[in-house]
Amino acid sequence: VQFPLDSDNGTDINVLCDYVLGETRAVYYTRYRCDTCNKQQKLRENAAQNMITVVCSSYRWKKHALTPGTARARTPLEWMRANFTVQTNSSCLQCSGTFNKEMVMKTYPAFIRFKVESIRVKWTYILELADANYRLCGLIYYGKSHFTVRVVTERQEIWFNDSWVDGENYHYENKLENMQPGDLAIAT
Protein backbone atom coordinates (compact mmCIF):
# COMPACT_ATOMS: atom_id res chain seq x y z
CA VAL A 1 0.00 0.00 0.00
CA GLN A 2 1.25 3.44 -0.90
CA PHE A 3 0.60 6.46 1.31
CA PRO A 4 -1.04 8.92 1.28
CA LEU A 5 -4.21 6.87 0.94
CA ASP A 6 -6.77 9.54 0.05
CA SER A 7 -5.01 12.64 -1.24
CA ASP A 8 -1.74 14.36 -1.95
CA ASN A 9 -1.99 16.20 1.39
CA GLY A 10 -1.10 13.18 3.53
CA THR A 11 -3.01 10.53 5.42
CA ASP A 12 -4.91 11.37 8.61
CA ILE A 13 -3.44 9.51 11.61
CA ASN A 14 -6.86 8.02 12.49
CA VAL A 15 -7.25 6.65 8.94
CA LEU A 16 -3.72 5.23 9.10
CA CYS A 17 -4.41 3.49 12.44
CA ASP A 18 -7.67 2.04 11.11
CA TYR A 19 -5.85 0.74 8.04
CA VAL A 20 -3.00 -0.81 10.04
CA LEU A 21 -5.08 -2.19 12.92
CA GLY A 22 -8.29 -3.14 11.14
CA GLU A 23 -11.74 -2.27 12.34
CA THR A 24 -11.24 -2.90 16.07
CA ARG A 25 -12.88 -0.10 18.00
CA ALA A 26 -12.56 1.16 21.55
CA VAL A 27 -15.85 1.28 23.45
CA TYR A 28 -16.63 3.85 26.12
CA TYR A 29 -19.64 5.25 27.90
CA THR A 30 -20.46 8.64 29.31
CA ARG A 31 -21.81 9.02 32.85
CA TYR A 32 -22.55 11.62 35.48
CA ARG A 33 -20.92 10.90 38.87
CA CYS A 34 -21.38 12.83 42.12
CA ASP A 35 -18.13 13.98 43.77
CA THR A 36 -19.61 13.59 47.25
CA CYS A 37 -21.79 10.46 47.39
CA ASN A 38 -20.52 8.72 44.20
CA LYS A 39 -24.04 8.36 42.76
CA GLN A 40 -23.76 7.51 39.05
CA GLN A 41 -26.01 7.85 36.04
CA LYS A 42 -24.94 6.22 32.76
CA LEU A 43 -25.83 8.34 29.73
CA ARG A 44 -24.87 6.42 26.59
CA GLU A 45 -22.39 3.96 25.13
CA ASN A 46 -20.19 4.99 22.20
CA ALA A 47 -17.64 3.45 19.86
CA ALA A 48 -14.38 5.26 19.22
CA GLN A 49 -11.60 4.70 16.73
CA ASN A 50 -8.48 2.62 17.30
CA MET A 51 -6.93 5.70 18.81
CA ILE A 52 -8.23 8.41 21.12
CA THR A 53 -6.79 11.91 21.28
CA VAL A 54 -5.92 13.70 24.51
CA VAL A 55 -5.53 17.46 24.00
CA CYS A 56 -2.85 19.11 26.15
CA SER A 57 -3.32 22.89 26.15
CA SER A 58 -3.66 25.71 28.65
CA TYR A 59 -7.24 26.29 27.45
CA ARG A 60 -8.17 22.62 28.00
CA TRP A 61 -6.67 22.64 31.49
CA LYS A 62 -8.53 25.80 32.55
CA LYS A 63 -11.82 24.57 31.12
CA HIS A 64 -11.81 20.91 32.19
CA ALA A 65 -9.25 20.17 34.90
CA LEU A 66 -10.62 19.47 38.36
CA THR A 67 -7.20 20.19 39.89
CA PRO A 68 -6.51 23.91 40.26
CA GLY A 69 -3.24 25.33 39.05
CA THR A 70 -1.27 25.74 35.88
CA ALA A 71 -1.18 23.39 32.88
CA ARG A 72 2.63 23.38 32.85
CA ALA A 73 4.49 20.05 33.04
CA ARG A 74 1.55 17.78 33.89
CA THR A 75 1.80 14.01 33.43
CA PRO A 76 -0.10 12.08 30.71
CA LEU A 77 -2.44 10.65 33.38
CA GLU A 78 -3.29 14.15 34.62
CA TRP A 79 -4.05 15.17 31.02
CA MET A 80 -6.31 12.15 30.54
CA ARG A 81 -8.30 13.11 33.64
CA ALA A 82 -8.55 16.69 32.38
CA ASN A 83 -9.87 15.50 29.01
CA PHE A 84 -12.28 12.84 30.21
CA THR A 85 -13.77 14.42 33.34
CA VAL A 86 -15.67 17.71 33.19
CA GLN A 87 -17.19 19.41 36.22
CA THR A 88 -20.80 20.42 35.58
CA ASN A 89 -23.14 22.95 37.18
CA SER A 90 -25.61 20.17 38.06
CA SER A 91 -26.18 19.20 41.68
CA CYS A 92 -26.91 15.75 43.07
CA LEU A 93 -30.49 15.43 44.36
CA GLN A 94 -29.34 12.93 46.98
CA CYS A 95 -26.58 14.96 48.70
CA SER A 96 -26.33 18.33 46.85
CA GLY A 97 -22.78 17.48 45.70
CA THR A 98 -21.49 18.43 42.25
CA PHE A 99 -21.85 16.08 39.29
CA ASN A 100 -18.89 15.40 37.00
CA LYS A 101 -19.41 14.22 33.44
CA GLU A 102 -16.97 11.37 32.80
CA MET A 103 -15.91 9.23 29.86
CA VAL A 104 -15.27 5.64 31.02
CA MET A 105 -13.45 3.15 28.78
CA LYS A 106 -14.95 -0.35 28.50
CA THR A 107 -12.59 -1.49 25.71
CA TYR A 108 -9.35 0.44 25.46
CA PRO A 109 -7.99 1.73 22.12
CA ALA A 110 -4.76 0.45 20.63
CA PHE A 111 -3.19 3.92 20.80
CA ILE A 112 -3.56 7.10 22.80
CA ARG A 113 -2.42 10.22 20.98
CA PHE A 114 -1.48 13.29 23.00
CA LYS A 115 -1.87 16.49 21.00
CA VAL A 116 0.38 19.00 22.77
CA GLU A 117 -0.28 22.68 22.12
CA SER A 118 2.44 25.12 23.30
CA ILE A 119 3.02 23.58 26.73
CA ARG A 120 5.35 21.04 28.30
CA VAL A 121 4.30 17.54 29.31
CA LYS A 122 6.11 15.51 31.97
CA TRP A 123 6.35 12.30 29.91
CA THR A 124 6.36 8.97 31.71
CA TYR A 125 7.37 5.67 30.14
CA ILE A 126 4.35 3.71 31.43
CA LEU A 127 0.81 5.08 31.61
CA GLU A 128 -1.15 2.95 34.08
CA LEU A 129 -4.91 3.08 33.74
CA ALA A 130 -7.55 1.08 35.63
CA ASP A 131 -7.63 -1.86 33.20
CA ALA A 132 -4.81 -1.15 30.75
CA ASN A 133 -1.19 -0.07 30.63
CA TYR A 134 0.37 1.88 27.78
CA ARG A 135 4.06 2.28 26.93
CA LEU A 136 5.46 5.45 25.41
CA CYS A 137 6.61 4.43 21.92
CA GLY A 138 7.54 7.75 20.42
CA LEU A 139 7.00 11.45 19.97
CA ILE A 140 6.18 12.90 16.57
CA TYR A 141 6.75 16.59 15.86
CA TYR A 142 5.10 17.95 12.75
CA GLY A 143 4.98 21.19 10.87
CA LYS A 144 3.32 22.25 7.64
CA SER A 145 4.79 19.54 5.41
CA HIS A 146 7.50 17.82 7.43
CA PHE A 147 7.80 15.83 10.64
CA THR A 148 10.55 14.57 12.89
CA VAL A 149 10.32 11.71 15.36
CA ARG A 150 11.73 10.48 18.65
CA VAL A 151 11.39 6.73 19.17
CA VAL A 152 11.41 5.36 22.72
CA THR A 153 12.68 1.77 23.00
CA GLU A 154 11.67 -0.78 25.64
CA ARG A 155 14.98 0.05 27.39
CA GLN A 156 13.73 3.67 27.53
CA GLU A 157 16.39 4.91 25.11
CA ILE A 158 15.43 7.89 22.98
CA TRP A 159 16.44 7.90 19.31
CA PHE A 160 15.86 10.92 17.04
CA ASN A 161 15.29 11.12 13.27
CA ASP A 162 14.78 14.01 10.89
CA SER A 163 14.40 12.22 7.56
CA TRP A 164 15.37 15.31 5.55
CA VAL A 165 18.70 15.47 7.40
CA ASP A 166 19.30 11.89 8.60
CA GLY A 167 17.59 9.80 5.92
CA GLU A 168 16.83 6.41 7.46
CA ASN A 169 19.41 6.83 10.25
CA TYR A 170 18.45 7.53 13.86
CA HIS A 171 20.82 9.00 16.42
CA TYR A 172 20.83 8.24 20.14
CA GLU A 173 19.89 11.14 22.42
CA ASN A 174 19.51 9.93 26.01
CA LYS A 175 17.57 7.73 28.42
CA LEU A 176 13.98 8.88 29.08
CA GLU A 177 14.64 9.10 32.83
CA ASN A 178 17.42 11.64 32.21
CA MET A 179 15.28 13.96 30.09
CA GLN A 180 13.58 17.03 31.53
CA PRO A 181 10.03 18.02 30.35
CA GLY A 182 11.50 20.86 28.27
CA ASP A 183 13.96 18.52 26.52
CA LEU A 184 11.11 16.70 24.79
CA ALA A 185 9.00 19.79 24.07
CA ILE A 186 10.67 20.59 20.76
CA ALA A 187 12.30 18.72 17.93
CA THR A 188 16.05 19.25 17.73
Side-chain angles (χ1 to χ4, degrees):
V1 171
Q2 181 109 17
F3 290 99
L5 287 175
D6 298 328
S7 71
D8 293 334
N9 296 328
T11 300
D12 180 81
I13 191 73
N14 293 311
V15 172
L16 182 61
C17 285
D18 281 348
Y19 179 82
V20 171
L21 298 171
E23 293 300 316
T24 306
R25 297 280 192 233
V27 177
Y28 68 94
Y29 64 90
T30 308
R31 72 176 177 199
Y32 282 118
R33 187 183 59 78
C34 176
D35 258 353
T36 307
C37 72
N38 206 31
K39 179 181 177 180
Q40 299 177 20
Q41 177 186 354
K42 187 173 176 179
L43 299 177
R44 66 183 175 277
E45 194 164 289
N46 303 291
Q49 297 185 0
N50 281 312
M51 179 178 64
I52 57 174
T53 300
V54 176
V55 178
C56 306
S57 69
S58 295
Y59 171 78
R60 175 73 63 159
W61 190 264
K62 288 175 191 168
K63 185 171 182 185
H64 296 287
L66 302 178
T67 306
T70 179
R72 293 273 180 220
R74 297 288 179 169
T75 66
L77 188 56
E78 289 173 304
W79 280 111
M80 288 197 65
R81 288 185 183 132
N83 275 256
F84 302 139
T85 304
V86 179
Q87 196 167 35
T88 69
N89 293 324
S90 302
S91 295
C92 177
L93 297 176
Q94 195 167 320
C95 72
S96 299
T98 303
F99 272 116
N100 293 325
K101 186 176 179 182
E102 301 174 333
M103 184 177 102
V104 180
M105 300 304 296
K106 285 180 69 178
T107 307
Y108 285 85
F111 293 99
I112 300 175
R113 173 177 66 171
F114 290 85
K115 182 179 179 187
V116 180
E117 298 175 357
S118 302
I119 61 151
R120 293 181 178 167
V121 173
K122 193 184 322 180
W123 294 107
T124 55
Y125 182 63
I126 299 291
L127 175 59
E128 294 180 8
L129 304 177
D131 297 319
N133 291 330
Y134 288 88
R135 180 180 69 82
L136 179 63
C137 297
L139 302 165
I140 300 171
Y141 307 85
Y142 59 93
K144 293 180 181 174
S145 62
H146 175 74
F147 73 90
T148 59
V149 65
R150 282 190 169 102
V151 174
V152 183
T153 68
E154 289 188 33
R155 294 193 318 247
Q156 300 186 39
E157 297 171 335
I158 299 174
W159 295 80
F160 181 80
N161 174 269
D162 179 341
S163 61
W164 283 0
V165 175
D166 305 317
E168 294 180 8
N169 300 316
Y170 285 73
H171 65 269
Y172 176 77
E173 286 191 315
N174 208 334
K175 296 278 280 182
L176 182 64
E177 64 194 28
N178 297 330
M179 302 290 274
Q180 298 298 314
D183 296 340
L184 299 174
I186 59 170
T188 54

